[in-house]
Amino acid sequence: MSQNLVSLNFPQADVDAIDAALATLEEKFARLIELSVADRRSLIKMGDKSEAFCRQTLIVLDQNRQILPPTFDLAEATQDLAALDLLRPRFTRLRLLIGKADDTEMALGSDVMSAALDGYALAKVFGKGAGLETLREAMSARYSRKPKTPSDVPA
């Protein structure tokens, strides 16, 4: 095999522990929300530059509560900031783990694809008369090229 980016073998006990840990995360993060694409687009976003402004504003508002109307929920805004501070390091860890998961999934798929392509090349060369004709034909369907019709050719 020409490529082997990653080789994994998880014992069943590890898989069971991973599934239990994921179930715990799902349970503990059940209060997290999911936004629609439209909601994401319409939200006011707090970036790195505006975070300092937001923190300072909440401090000033807390020190000057007399200027706030009764409908302004400073306690909720302060609680949201505290939740953000509490969860942000955990979200960072999750993002790093998801990044590794995505990379590992891609590498495993690439290893499988590389092996399949190597096998296909071998079947093309050595498959005739060795009982591999059916497999070779099935594999060739993946790479069959259709002749271009006049409608496929750009004008």
Side-chain angles (χ1 to χ4, degrees):
M1 190 161 80
S2 62
Q3 176 182 304
N4 188 18
L5 298 174
V6 63
S7 183
L8 297 174
N9 185 4
F10 286 97
Q12 188 59 46
D14 287 355
V15 173
D16 293 343
I18 290 167
D19 288 342
L22 289 171
T24 299
L25 286 172
E26 290 167 346
E27 176 190 339
K28 298 302 179 184
F29 282 136
R31 291 177 281 175
L32 299 182
I33 66 168
E34 187 172 352
L35 298 172
S36 71
V37 173
D39 289 339
R40 285 175 180 266
R41 287 185 184 141
S42 68
L43 287 177
I44 300 169
K45 287 134 186 118
M46 181 180 76
D48 293 338
K49 293 179 183 177
S50 58
E51 185 172 340
F53 161 78
C54 294
R55 288 179 184 280
Q56 187 62 40
T57 300
L58 292 181
I59 290 169
V60 170
L61 292 176
D62 186 47
Q63 294 169 346
N64 297 282
R65 290 177 178 261
Q66 72 278 4
I67 66 169
L68 298 176
T71 57
F72 189 91
D73 196 348
L74 180 61
E76 178 63 26
T78 303
Q79 182 179 343
D80 287 349
L81 183 60
L84 179 63
D85 289 342
L86 177 76
L87 292 173
R88 185 176 275 156
R90 281 105 189 140
F91 292 160
T92 299
R93 290 176 65 190
L94 286 171
R95 277 188 212 94
L96 290 171
L97 190 57
I98 291 297
K100 287 181 178 182
D102 288 344
D103 289 349
T104 301
E105 183 179 25
M106 183 180 292
L108 287 168
S110 182
D111 284 354
V112 170
M113 186 67 179
S114 178
L117 290 172
D118 290 348
Y120 174 70
L122 291 170
K124 278 177 59 176
V125 173
F126 301 112
K128 294 182 181 177
L132 298 175
E133 189 61 32
T134 304
L135 175 61
R136 192 179 67 75
E137 287 173 8
M139 292 166 69
S140 70
R142 163 74 167 89
Y143 296 101
S144 66
R145 297 183 186 187
K146 297 176 187 172
K148 290 191 176 195
T149 60
S151 63
D152 291 338
V153 178

